[in-house]
Amino acid sequence: MRKYFISWAKASLILVYLVIVAGALVRMTGSGMGCPDWPKCFGYYIPPTEAKELLYTPGKEYSKGQVIIKDEKLLVAKDDFVAKNNFENTHWEKYTKHEYAIFNPLHTWVEYINRLIGALAGLACVIALFFSFGYWKENKKLVFLSLLICFLMGFQAWLGKTVVDSVLNPYKITTHMLAALLIVAVQLFVIYSVQEKQKERTFSGEFKWVLVAALVLTIAQIIFGTQVRESVDTIVEADLPKEVWLQNPKGGFYMHRSFSILVLFTNLFLFWRNRELKLGFNKINWVIALLCVEILSGITMFYFNFPFGSQTVHIVIATIIFGLQLYLLLESCKKITK
């Protein structure tokens, strides 16, 4: 069992990152309400592709829980029945979570794919939990951490439901994002714990504590970024052109922009100390490279009016930087000397 654990732990981490990518695509395309119910999508396990599939159709067999759109409202089937020529209210009840009743096939399938990847990530976490029992005798903590990951995945799914039920409440979206980072953090800790070989490095307390500060700054920067995105979403809902989205920025935009300078210089200091002291933390090179791309994508959004894909790149790279910094921190806490 043990030999399969690390493979499934890494697979589940990759899938969680794919969920983050899919979630970023959902936000970029405005598909958050593509499936207005949960866990199904318009009452189906495989969502419709055409609007006519959500209209009342005489002679059609409806199952309990299936959804139609009638008079700009979502109606849910109360039981199994065959539709008659005339619409009968007795078989239907109004969807009460919210009043959003718009079908857009692109939005629906983008959100559905997001949920599907989330389900696959959850399944991979459960399989990793099963194989973690191979470490039960020598490292029970590993099993409990794997169980915690599964619990957090379930909690994350529930958060996704609350986001939909609230019609994309900004604070719940931010909480949803932070919960994803927490899952990544626990997964990285688990993976690091079972790595057989650790590269020799020189221990530096200075490097470790500056790295802690850099990680905290990255988390703060992600939070500021979600707040900026929330303010932009409000403007988007007003159907204003991209040219005016950041004319009078709110939601911590200037804090987010100023923080990026602090984040960059903190990580440049770590890059310099790593080379100066020959510590051997090569992942800091990737952090610097990704930070450059991250800042470039932010500049691109501001000066070129949010070109397609720039928001997704910006969000996903921030989470990858978080993961690299956290793994670096785990490595720096292990006192291995040359």
Side-chain angles (χ1 to χ4, degrees), residues 144-160:
F144 289 118
L145 286 173
S146 299
L147 180 61
L148 175 62
I149 290 170
C150 292
F151 171 80
L152 289 173
M153 289 295 291
F155 177 68
Q156 180 74 326
W158 176 80
L159 280 176

Side-chain angles (χ1 to χ4, degrees), residues 10-257:
K10 290 179 178 179
S12 64
L13 175 64
I14 292 170
L15 283 168
V16 167
Y17 265 109
L18 285 177
V19 173
I20 293 173
V21 172
L25 286 171
V26 167
R27 296 210 69 185
M28 182 188 73
T29 57
S31 303
M33 292 301 293
C35 294
D37 50 335
W38 190 96
K40 294 182 180 180
C41 188
F42 288 101
Y44 294 88
Y45 286 110
I46 300 177
T49 56
E50 298 179 285
K52 65 181 182 181
E53 297 178 59
L54 294 172
L55 299 177
Y56 181 81
T57 306
K60 181 177 178 178
E61 294 185 7
Y62 286 99
S63 300
K64 183 178 180 180
Q66 284 186 342
V67 174
I68 63 169
I69 299 176
K70 183 173 175 59
D71 301 327
E72 298 183 350
K73 295 179 181 178
L74 289 180
L75 299 180
V76 184
K78 295 164 64 176
D79 50 22
D80 300 339
F81 67 97
V82 177
K84 297 182 179 179
N85 289 332
N86 297 320
F87 180 81
E88 295 180 328
N89 283 316
T90 54
H91 290 295
W92 301 94
E93 59 185 1
K94 183 181 176 182
Y95 189 76
T96 58
K97 299 291 184 180
H98 54 72
E99 296 184 354
Y100 187 92
I102 299 173
F103 173 73
N104 179 312
L106 172 63
H107 292 173
T108 293
W109 278 86
V110 169
E111 169 61 13
Y112 175 71
I113 291 171
N114 176 41
R115 294 187 185 186
L116 188 61
I117 297 173
L120 291 174
L123 178 60
C125 290
V126 171
I127 295 173
L129 170 63
F130 172 75
F131 287 120
S132 72
F133 280 92
Y135 291 88
W136 179 256
K137 291 183 179 180
E138 64 183 79
N139 192 352
K140 292 182 175 60
K141 182 173 70 173
L142 199 65
V143 178
F144 289 118
L145 286 173
S146 299
L147 180 61
L148 175 62
I149 290 170
C150 292
F151 171 80
L152 289 173
M153 289 295 291
F155 177 68
Q156 180 74 326
W158 176 80
L159 280 176
K161 176 184 183 301
T162 65
V163 168
V164 173
D165 290 346
S166 67
V167 194
L168 310 182
N169 179 278
Y171 297 104
K172 292 185 178 181
I173 291 174
T174 299
T175 304
H176 198 48
M177 180 67 178
L178 293 177
L181 294 183
L182 178 58
I183 292 169
V184 168
V186 181
Q187 287 179 311
L188 286 172
F189 182 80
V190 167
I191 291 170
Y192 180 79
S193 299
V194 296
Q195 292 291 343
E196 294 295 332
K197 298 179 181 179
Q198 298 293 342
K199 183 180 177 181
E200 287 189 349
R201 298 179 183 89
T202 302
F203 176 76
S204 170
E206 174 196 51
F207 185 89
K208 182 183 75 171
W209 288 111
V210 175
L211 184 55
V212 169
L215 183 60
V216 171
L217 288 174
T218 296
I219 296 171
Q221 187 68 325
I222 290 172
I223 294 172
F224 288 139
T226 58
Q227 291 177 345
V228 172
R229 180 59 194 169
E230 289 160 10
S231 67
V232 170
D233 285 345
T234 302
I235 298 171
V236 173
E237 289 175 3
D239 201 27
L240 296 174
K242 289 183 177 181
E243 290 78 7
V244 304
W245 284 7
L246 289 176
Q247 276 188 358
N248 298 296
K250 299 179 181 178
F253 170 78
Y254 292 109
M255 182 70 75
H256 183 59
R257 188 174 66 179

